[in-house]
Amino acid sequence: MSDRSLLILPGDGIGPEVMAEVRKVIAWYGDKRGLDFDVSEDLVGGAAYDAHGTPLTDATMDKAQEVDAVLLGAVGGPQYDDLDFGVKPERGLLRLRKEMDLFANLRPAQCFDALADFSSLKRDVVAGLDIVIVRELTSGIYFGEPRGIITENNERVGINTQRYTESEIERVARAAFDLAMKRGKKLCSMEKANVMESGILWREVVTEVGKDYPDVALSHMYADAGAMQLCRWPKQFDVIVTDNLFGDLLSDAAAMLTGSLGMLPSASLGLPMANGRPKAMYEPVHGSAPDIAGQGKANPIACVLSFAMALRYSFDEGAEADRLEQAVNQVLADGLRTADLLGEEGVEPVSTIQMGDAIVAALDASL
Ligand code: IPM
Ligand code: MG
């Protein structure tokens, strides 16, 4: 038995295809680097609904609580659009985040040199971009009560509640400051303190936490202005910390700066477990892409890089994470492109499997 346990939840759409490539990478680390992982696999999202009538069974939830890290592919698809809200595929993902208490969602947006021309923004604006959005993931309007659709004065009213406690803001702020300390020592906090009380409290608490981090240059921005600045000159940022909903929007915008949603990984981290490792789930930022599922077209890089984040944040294998990121860099520099990355003249796309194999070959070459 290895003391590194992983639960793989491939999910729906392209999830299983990209995860198959990650499994090759995991196997490589066992064979070539002596890093054995105890891997189990289970269902989530629509796949779990089809098998069990729920997007996440209690048994899978229990397993997720026990392992060192969960690796998730993607959830959702048009065939599930008409399901009741409570059993939609996304509910499985939200339950994992909430019950594992994964409050700090790290979403890097990094522009690979070879891909700087794929962004819809000018090369100049994005080349060399390397920022991280830290999104609060277990509170705010995603989970606040009251919520629901009620009837009032003979019409229906849709209700969601933005709600943050001081301790919820404080812990995610600390995670962001800690990350900033390991990077460029610059943190920008985004909220709407001009219109929301939760934003006023957010700004106050982040400022207070900042006193413990005198080396980090802290700034504040209204989230709408932040969205504009992200598109105008994203390299002004290093780490951004923001709430659940703003983080959802800003991270999609940031992802597009890099040219392809197919490239970006994420880590969702919670409190340390008994063995000192944080509760953790890793997933690509892209969704289930049902339009290309099952065709071998999906880009496995976001999911592979999510495993690199697992090496770094769950298993303290920063050098091996660097090796994997370098291998991805290498295959891109060699000109390999999945279908989402086409546009250069004379380039034929490689399949999901070919991309995975090339990454493993690049890992071999790194030894
Ligand atoms: C994300 C997604 C999810 C979210 C959905 C699938 C529930 O958009 O991870 O950004 O809104 O958080
Ligand atoms: Mg999103």
Side-chain angles (χ1 to χ4, degrees):
M1 271 289 262
S2 145
D3 80 328
R4 296 178 204 87
S5 56
L6 280 177
L7 172 63
I8 293 192
L9 302 174
D12 307 322
I14 59 171
E17 292 162 66
V18 294
M19 203 57 91
E21 302 315 304
V22 177
R23 295 202 75 143
K24 290 181 193 165
V25 170
I26 295 170
W28 186 88
Y29 275 97
D31 291 348
K32 303 288 171 69
R33 304 300 300 157
L35 286 177
D36 286 313
F37 292 90
D38 191 359
V39 183
S40 54
E41 189 165 320
D42 214 328
L43 302 173
V44 69
Y49 178 82
D50 290 338
H52 305 295
T54 166
L56 187 78
T57 65
D58 292 345
T60 310
M61 187 67 241
D62 289 347
K63 248 191 262 176
Q65 296 282 20
E66 280 158 21
V67 291
D68 291 320
V70 176
L71 273 181
L72 186 133
V75 296
Q79 68 271 46
Y80 307 111
D81 281 351
D82 294 330
L83 289 183
D84 282 345
F85 185 70
V87 291
K88 277 191 190 296
E90 291 77 10
R91 302 312 301 172
L93 177 59
L94 293 170
R95 181 175 175 200
L96 283 161
R97 290 175 180 172
K98 185 71 181 172
E99 291 192 22
M100 292 171 74
D101 202 16
L102 304 173
F103 59 88
N105 180 214
L106 278 42
R107 298 190 162 190
Q110 214 177 341
C111 186
F112 287 84
D113 278 347
L115 300 181
D117 289 319
F118 284 87
S119 174
S120 48
L121 298 186
K122 296 192 187 88
R123 170 176 262 278
D124 222 35
V125 178
V126 297
L129 179 72
D130 177 8
I131 63 177
V132 182
I133 295 185
V134 179
R135 168 188 176 192
E136 199 292 325
L137 202 61
T138 51
S139 184
I141 203 163
Y142 269 56
F143 297 97
E145 299 282 348
R147 65 184 298 165
I149 301 176
I150 63 167
T151 301
E152 214 177 71
N153 302 327
N154 290 322
E155 66 171 343
R156 289 183 304 155
V157 184
I159 301 173
N160 290 93
T161 303
Q162 166 84 335
R163 194 192 138 88
Y164 271 106
T165 64
E166 291 180 282
S167 51
E168 286 170 338
I169 302 168
E170 186 187 334
R171 64 184 188 169
V172 73
R174 278 196 195 282
F177 276 108
D178 287 340
L179 184 64
M181 282 298 289
K182 292 188 201 138
R183 295 174 43 99
K185 298 198 168 61
K186 233 165 68 174
L187 178 65
C188 182
S189 170
M190 296 189 187
E191 29 54 20
K192 291 255 319 161
N194 49 345
V195 286
M196 296 164 77
E197 285 80 357
S198 63
I200 295 174
L201 185 66
W202 182 280
R203 192 176 282 217
E204 268 179 38
V205 174
V206 171
T207 303
E208 195 56 37
V209 172
K211 293 182 183 157
D212 292 343
Y213 298 85
D215 294 342
V216 176
L218 171 66
S219 60
H220 304 272
M221 236 181 237
Y222 298 139
D224 53 346
M228 184 270 283
Q229 291 296 343
L230 259 180
C231 302
R232 193 185 68 83
W233 190 245
K235 285 187 254 183
Q236 71 187 278
F237 298 111
D238 177 25
V239 180
I240 293 171
V241 64
T242 189
D243 75 15
N244 204 341
L245 183 60
F246 293 142
D248 183 41
L249 305 178
L250 293 170
S251 64
D252 262 29
M256 206 51 227
L257 300 176
T258 70
S260 170
L261 217 47
M263 302 293 301
L264 295 180
S266 77
S268 304
L269 306 175
L271 297 170
M273 300 183 286
N275 63 9
R277 292 173 179 155
K279 276 263 165 72
M281 178 161 74
Y282 300 88
E283 55 180 310
V285 171
H286 64 65
S288 59
D291 52 320
I292 58 161
Q295 300 169 34
K297 288 184 182 167
N299 185 348
I301 288 179
C303 207
V304 167
L305 291 176
S306 297
F307 177 64
M309 290 188 89
L311 288 171
R312 191 181 304 283
Y313 293 109
S314 284
F315 302 109
D316 211 13
E317 295 285 352
E320 295 300 339
D322 288 346
R323 178 196 300 280
L324 183 50
E325 287 165 2
Q326 197 40 49
V328 167
N329 228 328
Q330 188 59 50
V331 299
L332 291 171
D334 290 346
L336 263 73
R337 302 284 184 263
T338 40
D340 55 313
L341 299 176
L342 291 184
E344 293 149 303
E345 215 155 308
V347 177
E348 286 294 313
V350 300
S351 68
T352 311
I353 291 176
Q354 286 170 319
M355 183 60 96
D357 288 344
I359 293 169
V360 170
L363 283 172
D364 271 332
S366 77
L367 293 178

